[in-house]
Amino acid sequence: MKEIHAEIEIHASAEQVWNLLTDVECFIEWNPFIWRASGTIKCGERLTVEMRPPNSKAMTLRPTVSKAEPNRELRWLSQFFLPNLLDREHTFTIESQGTHHVRFVQREIYTGLLVPLFWSRISNKIRRGFKAMNMMLKSQAENAALASRSKRTSARLQLACA
């Protein structure tokens, strides 16, 4: 078993982060790592995910969603041809740290017979992809949170002046 892990602090609500993470149709607009995805985020459903690690060719995966707990965790499993050759369990965890603050953790666990053969070629590229995605998710979520707070403040000011 091998694992890749990256995390980031985001100043936005868990709901805002979840909404970005599960709006797979919009990944192409902001996500530099998983730049194209389609399907329904629901346990048992299969997705089509096109990943492009930095300085690498794109890879298309067909993972199955194994967990989709709103505002907390999304998890999927993909397999290379047959089970136990090169299995990947990808987990996105949103840990609430307060009203408008979360820790976002992205993790991928690799198991199977081919892991030792591929590990040195993929691990650093995937880790860099995680970090790039996390940074863009942070930017998108914090911009959405800022816009949301600005709208609420503007509405309160309008009510106070009325």
Side-chain angles (χ1 to χ4, degrees):
M1 180 182 88
K2 298 283 188 177
E3 180 178 320
I4 299 172
H5 169 271
E7 62 183 68
I8 196 165
E9 300 289 321
I10 301 175
H11 297 283
S13 70
E15 182 179 16
Q16 286 164 321
V17 173
W18 177 259
N19 288 341
L20 284 165
L21 184 63
T22 58
D23 188 1
V24 296
E25 301 294 326
C26 290
F27 277 8
I28 199 163
E29 295 173 14
W30 67 269
N31 195 328
F33 180 58
I34 303 173
W35 66 285
R36 188 171 292 154
S38 62
T40 304
I41 303 292
K42 182 179 174 188
C43 283
E45 293 291 321
R46 290 199 63 159
L47 305 173
T48 299
V49 176
E50 194 164 338
M51 301 169 75
R52 184 176 284 168
N55 304 317
S56 298
K57 293 180 181 178
M59 298 179 271
T60 301
L61 306 174
R62 297 268 303 135
T64 301
V65 176
S66 56
K67 187 171 186 179
E69 186 177 344
N71 306 330
R72 296 209 174 148
E73 185 176 19
L74 172 60
R75 185 181 296 234
W76 64 54
L77 177 66
S78 61
Q79 298 171 322
F80 182 72
F81 292 116
L82 299 170
N84 301 316
L85 284 181
L86 180 61
D87 298 345
R88 298 171 163 193
E89 182 178 45
H90 201 120
T91 305
F92 306 93
T93 307
I94 303 166
E95 300 171 0
S96 185
Q97 305 291 303
T99 308
H100 295 285
H101 184 208
V102 301
R103 176 181 295 120
F104 178 74
V105 181
Q106 190 171 180
R107 176 178 286 122
E108 199 159 65
I109 297 171
Y110 293 79
T111 56
L113 297 172
L114 299 179
V115 172
L117 296 174
F118 288 100
W119 186 251
S120 64
R121 289 192 347 217
I122 65 171
S123 61
N124 287 331
K125 292 176 182 179
I126 299 291
R127 187 174 287 107
R128 286 195 311 270
F130 281 14
K131 289 179 180 180
M133 178 181 164
N134 289 3
M135 290 297 294
M136 288 304 295
L137 179 65
K138 173 184 176 74
S139 175
Q140 293 290 313
E142 288 179 354
N143 287 340
L146 184 60
S148 178
R149 285 193 291 271
S150 292
K151 284 181 186 176
R152 286 193 306 271
T153 300
S154 178
R156 282 195 298 264
L157 288 174
Q158 288 175 0
L159 287 174
C161 294

